[in-house]
Amino acid sequence: MLINFKLVSISLLLFVSINLYAQGPPIFTDSPLLLGLEGGGIRTFGKYISTESGQTYIQPLVVPYNVTTDFQIGGIQPYVFRSPNNDESQSGFGNFTLFGKYSIIQIDGRAKTFRALLKYTQTFTTGASNVSVNANASQFSIITGYVTINYGIYGTVGYTFVSSDLPDNLIYSFAFGYPLLPQKYPPFQLNLFLELNGTHTLEVNKHLLFVSPGLQLMTSSTFLIETGVQIPVVDDRNTTKFAYTLGIRFLFF
Amino acid sequence: MKPVIKMILIIFLLGISSTLAQSSEVKVRVDGLSCPFCAYGLEKKLNDLDGVESINIDFEEGLVVLQVTNSENISEEEIRTKIEKAGFTPREIVFSGKNEKPDKDD
C-alpha cells in the first residue's frame, strides 16, 4: 500500500495539537479531577517540538470554567511558530478548540479518590492556514484516575474523528505521579511524573508513542509551574525527535 | 484608679471574655481529599460560611478544622452542602467548644 506521507504527517500534528492541551496534574495526560488548578483557572505553556522537517513552538492559552461540580467547559487558543528546515519561518493563531468534561464516577475515601469523566473536544478550522491543519476534529475520550496522597494513577482512551479525508486517530495515555514532598495545605509540592502518550493513526496504520517524564512545582494553592520532555519510543514515521514543554497554571478567581 | 478608667477596663475584659467564649472549633471529616492542588476550592467554599476565622486541612487524616466565632451560626447542613459543592464527600462533623454537638456519621 502506498503511504500518503503528507496525510500521516498532518494527522500526527493534529494529534499533538489536541493532546498537548491535556496539561494539568499530570502534565501530559488529562486529569479526571475538575478541582483547583484544573478548573476555574488559566493555563499557558510553551511546547517546542523538534522533527526531521523542522521545529514548531506552540503557546496555547487554556481557560476552563466549572459550570457545576460535575461539568466543565473550556476554550483553547494556541499561537503557533513554525520553522521548516527548507522554508521561511511562519507564525499565527492556530485552530480554536472547545471542550466539555462531565464527571460520571466519583468514589471518595479517606485521603483517596477514584474518578472518571467523559470529555468531548471540538477543534475548528479557525487558524491561519500556514500554521494550522485545515480539518475539523471531534474527539471523544474517557478519563480516569485513582489519586491518593501517596501517588496518582491516570489513564485516558479516546477516538478522534477527523474531517477532510484525513485518517482518524485512536489515542491513549497513562500517567503515574509521585509527590516528592509531604502533602500539606497550603501546598508546597514537588511532583514527579512518568507518562506514556500514544496515538494510532487508522487507515495508514501508523503508531506514535511518547515516554514523557516531568516535574511539577506548586508554590501555593494558586500557582504551579511544570516541565516535561516527550521522547518518542515508537514512531513509525521516524519524524519526531522530541517535544519539550514548560508551563504555568494559576487561579485568579 | 479613676472610675472612668475602671469602667473602660471592665468593658474591655468583658469583650475579650465574650469573644473567647463564643470562639469554637468545627471538625469535619472529608473524603476524597487526595491532592493539595484540588483543595483550594474547598477552602474558598468553606470561607463563605458565616464566622469562619481560619481553616486547617490535614490530608493524611482527611480532616478539615474550622475555627469559627460562633458555631451556632453555622448548621451541619450548610457545611455539608459547601463540601459537596466543592467536589468532595462530607462525613462526620463535630462541633466542639461552647456549642459542642454529638458526632454524626453519614
Side-chain angles (χ1 to χ4, degrees):
Chain A
M1 179 185 166
L2 184 66
I3 298 171
N4 187 329
F5 287 107
K6 188 178 176 186
L7 287 184
V8 176
S9 178
I10 289 171
S11 181
L12 291 180
L13 181 63
L14 189 71
F15 157 74
V16 172
S17 301
I18 288 172
N19 279 274
L20 61 84
Y21 305 129
Q23 193 192 36
I27 298 168
F28 300 102
T29 303
D30 231 325
S31 169
L33 281 74
L34 306 176
L35 303 168
L37 288 157
E38 271 294 293
I42 280 186
R43 287 178 248 166
T44 186
F45 51 94
K47 182 153 190 162
Y48 173 79
I49 305 165
S50 178
T51 66
E52 293 292 337
S53 59
Q55 285 76 46
T56 302
Y57 178 82
I58 305 173
Q59 185 76 46
L61 185 68
V62 186
V63 183
Y65 175 73
N66 284 0
V67 180
T68 68
T69 307
D70 298 327
F71 181 47
Q72 181 188 84
I73 57 171
I76 303 159
Q77 180 59 64
Y79 196 82
V80 183
F81 300 85
R82 287 186 67 199
S83 182
N85 287 338
N86 301 313
D87 206 348
E88 285 185 4
S89 297
Q90 300 160 326
S91 64
F93 285 105
N95 288 338
F96 179 71
T97 298
L98 278 176
F99 66 84
K101 293 178 176 179
Y102 186 74
S103 178
I104 52 171
I105 298 174
Q106 177 178 341
I107 302 169
D108 290 339
R110 184 179 297 186
K112 63 189 174 186
T113 187
F114 173 80
R115 300 191 187 201
L117 57 81
L118 298 174
K119 183 180 180 183
Y120 173 70
T121 300
Q122 180 65 50
T123 301
F124 303 96
T125 55
T126 56
S129 59
N130 55 348
V131 293
S132 305
V133 179
N134 187 26
N136 293 302
S138 306
Q139 187 179 86
F140 297 88
S141 56
I142 183 163
I143 298 156
T144 60
Y146 179 69
V147 186
T148 78
I149 58 167
N150 299 316
Y151 61 87
I153 298 170
Y154 307 81
T156 299
V157 289
Y159 190 91
T160 312
F161 297 93
V162 186
S163 68
S164 304
D165 298 327
L166 294 174
D168 294 346
N169 293 312
L170 282 168
I171 61 140
Y172 61 93
S173 289
F174 171 83
F176 177 78
Y178 183 78
L180 298 173
L181 297 174
Q183 305 263 38
K184 63 186 179 69
Y185 192 84
F188 185 84
Q189 270 191 278
L190 186 63
N191 297 327
L192 182 67
F193 281 100
L194 183 62
E195 305 179 37
L196 296 172
N197 310 108
T199 184
H200 185 80
T201 307
L202 303 173
E203 298 175 35
V204 291
N205 205 28
K206 294 293 173 185
H207 205 82
L208 175 64
L209 174 63
F210 290 111
V211 169
S212 320
L215 269 178
Q216 191 173 67
L217 176 69
M218 272 188 87
T219 57
S220 73
S221 52
T222 56
F223 183 78
L224 180 155
I225 186 164
E226 56 199 346
T227 185
V229 62
Q230 292 188 290
I231 304 153
V233 289
V234 178
D235 183 0
D236 290 343
R237 282 269 289 120
N238 197 29
T239 56
T240 309
K241 293 176 183 171
F242 68 94
Y244 174 72
T245 295
L246 179 66
I248 60 168
R249 284 181 290 161
F250 59 94
L251 282 172
F252 68 98
F253 56 89
Chain B
M1 196 179 289
K2 289 182 180 176
V4 176
I5 296 175
K6 271 187 183 173
M7 188 64 74
I8 290 171
L9 196 60
I10 288 166
I11 290 169
F12 178 71
L13 289 172
L14 279 174
I16 287 179
S17 62
S18 168
T19 303
L20 287 175
Q22 286 185 350
S23 183
S24 56
E25 197 174 77
V26 183
K27 289 183 179 173
V28 188
R29 184 82 61 195
V30 179
D31 278 358
L33 270 174
S34 54
C35 49
F37 85 85
C38 52
Y40 181 63
L42 179 64
E43 184 191 3
K44 278 183 74 176
K45 292 277 185 210
L46 291 174
N47 264 325
D48 290 343
L49 292 167
D50 189 29
V52 171
E53 292 176 325
S54 67
I55 297 170
N56 196 351
I57 300 175
D58 182 338
F59 279 90
E60 282 199 24
E61 296 297 322
L63 197 64
V64 177
V65 181
L66 309 174
Q67 294 293 338
V68 295
T69 51
N70 188 348
S71 60
E72 282 176 351
N73 294 337
I74 303 174
S75 72
E76 192 171 314
E77 194 180 334
E78 276 181 299
I79 295 172
R80 289 185 186 280
T81 302
K82 291 288 182 188
I83 292 168
E84 282 164 4
K85 282 190 173 175
F88 298 96
T89 305
R91 297 297 182 195
E92 311 94 275
I93 299 178
V94 178
F95 291 76
S96 59
K98 184 185 172 189
N99 307 296
E100 192 152 355
K101 293 180 182 178
D103 289 5
K104 184 184 175 185
D105 275 318
D106 270 354

